[in-house]
Amino acid sequence: MTVANRSIGEVLMPPIGLGCMTLSHAYGVPPDAETGRQVLDRALDVGYVHFDSAALYGFGKNELLLGAALQQHRDRIFLVSKGGLVGVDGKRVMDARPESLKSHCEDSLKRLRTDVIDLYYLHRWQKTVPIEDSVGALKELVHEGKVRQIGLSEVSAGTLKKAHAVHPIAALQSEFSLWSRNAEIATLDACAELGVAYVAFSPLARGFLADLALDPGELVAKDLRLNMPRFQAPHFERNAALRREYADIAAEVGCTPAQLALAWLLQRAPHLHVIPGTTNPDHAEENFKAIDVVLDPSVINRLEVLINPGTISGARYSAATQAEIDTEIVPEERRND
């Protein structure tokens, strides 16, 4: 049985999309453009529709990659990007002022080689700018025909509701996986209440639930995971101890560890979408096939007992990064930062 298509706003699509960040950004040295193109081509071949980018990723390089690779397929894809976080003179800058968001969108349209972006997110709520002002600018972009739908990333349920009162929010994108369960505090339910799709980024726990041999000691400089407590001592050693049983469950189900993590999420809520990223075309295909994995309730229970906020060691972000975002924090993270 295959998981049915799900909606973001009024658009139906497979609930597994491609998070494109890793093709240009974040996890050390990104792949070359040809490898990135191969990943995108395989994703198209196996059935991906939802492609998620941002102005921040590679400081525009990710959007340039998608624009070149996907322009000829524009009518069959759901093209997504984000503004409010950009690269300026080689540095990451948060700027969610209305005039800046409009400028970011114009730049993204050019790089993506399109006249309209299907879903445009506020990448981060800049807390010195009222959320109503930032969303008001995105609303104007919709009225101008440059954006079809708007979304928010890494905000709380309260902020989501304030924004939704200004203009309908089509999607909330935040981290959600077996080891990051902040969504379960309030935002997952708030999305269901408001008719907002929940788009889970890092559904594979930043590779922890996909590559069971992942070793932080082998990560290269500028890999953002090096600054995340869960990948640092003593937390990583405690977390790694859970992977053997996790691998055993995947083997019993008859799927890969990555597919197991994605299948758990897809069965967690009917309004939930996942956007795993990869730099490997084979892994892109493997991840998409998670759409065919159905988990027995007993398996779901075993997974949730094994990996949850009480068994995972370390906060998901450093204190400095956490201060930038608006998501709710599970109590266990406060004890493990």
Side-chain angles (χ1 to χ4, degrees), residues 62-250:
N62 195 252
E63 291 178 323
L64 289 171
L65 174 67
L66 267 63
L70 301 178
Q71 184 183 31
Q72 62 182 316
H73 306 286
R74 185 65 186 89
D75 60 347
R76 57 177 282 210
I77 65 171
F78 186 77
L79 187 59
V80 179
S81 197
K82 311 175 191 73
L85 278 179
V86 294
V88 178
D89 297 328
K91 296 182 180 180
R92 174 183 177 275
V93 173
M94 182 185 295
D95 187 352
R97 293 173 297 169
E99 63 273 20
S100 298
L101 288 174
K102 291 182 178 182
S103 176
H104 299 167
C105 182
E106 293 288 355
D107 291 341
S108 291
L109 287 166
K110 293 174 185 175
R111 289 190 292 260
L112 291 166
R113 303 187 188 183
T114 187
D115 296 326
V116 60
I117 297 170
D118 295 310
L119 173 63
Y120 193 64
Y121 289 101
L122 175 64
H123 204 157
R124 288 289 185 275
W125 172 38
Q126 185 177 11
K127 297 177 183 179
T128 56
V129 179
I131 189 65
E132 293 87 351
D133 291 355
S134 296
V135 173
L138 301 183
K139 177 181 179 179
E140 290 180 16
L141 290 171
V142 173
H143 291 165
E144 293 168 6
K146 296 172 182 177
V147 169
R148 289 196 170 103
Q149 302 186 92
I150 65 175
L152 303 175
S153 179
E154 293 272 52
V155 300
S156 65
T159 302
L160 171 64
K161 291 176 180 179
K162 289 180 182 179
H164 196 73
V166 176
H167 186 275
I169 302 300
L172 168 63
Q173 182 178 138
S174 284
E175 185 172 356
F176 193 13
S177 68
L178 274 164
W179 88 345
S180 291
R181 308 280 278 276
N182 309 67
E184 296 175 344
I185 299 173
T187 51
L188 194 63
D189 287 344
C191 284
E193 174 189 339
L194 298 172
V196 176
Y198 193 107
V199 178
F201 75 74
S202 296
L204 302 178
R206 300 188 184 275
F208 179 81
L209 296 175
D211 178 5
L212 300 190
L214 178 65
D215 179 356
E218 298 176 358
L219 298 179
V220 301
K222 296 186 178 180
D223 190 313
L224 58 76
R225 290 172 290 188
L226 292 172
N227 294 318
M228 294 179 171
R230 291 177 185 176
F231 288 93
Q232 300 169 345
H235 302 300
F236 187 80
E237 290 76 10
R238 297 170 185 165
N239 296 331
L242 305 173
R243 295 194 295 190
R244 177 173 295 180
E245 185 175 347
Y246 180 78
D248 290 342
I249 296 174

Side-chain angles (χ1 to χ4, degrees), residues 235 238 309-311 313-315 329-337:
H235 302 300
R238 297 170 185 165
T311 63
S313 182
I329 304 175
V330 297
E332 289 82 358
E333 283 191 83
R334 298 184 189 277
R335 297 199 298 268
N336 289 319
D337 58 10

Side-chain angles (χ1 to χ4, degrees), residues 1-6 14-15 266-267 290-294:
M1 182 176 71
T2 298
V3 177
N5 286 349
R6 297 177 180 179
L266 292 178
Q267 289 185 228
I291 207 168
D292 298 320
V293 177
V294 178

Side-chain angles (χ1 to χ4, degrees), residues 30 84 221 286:
E286 172 193 325

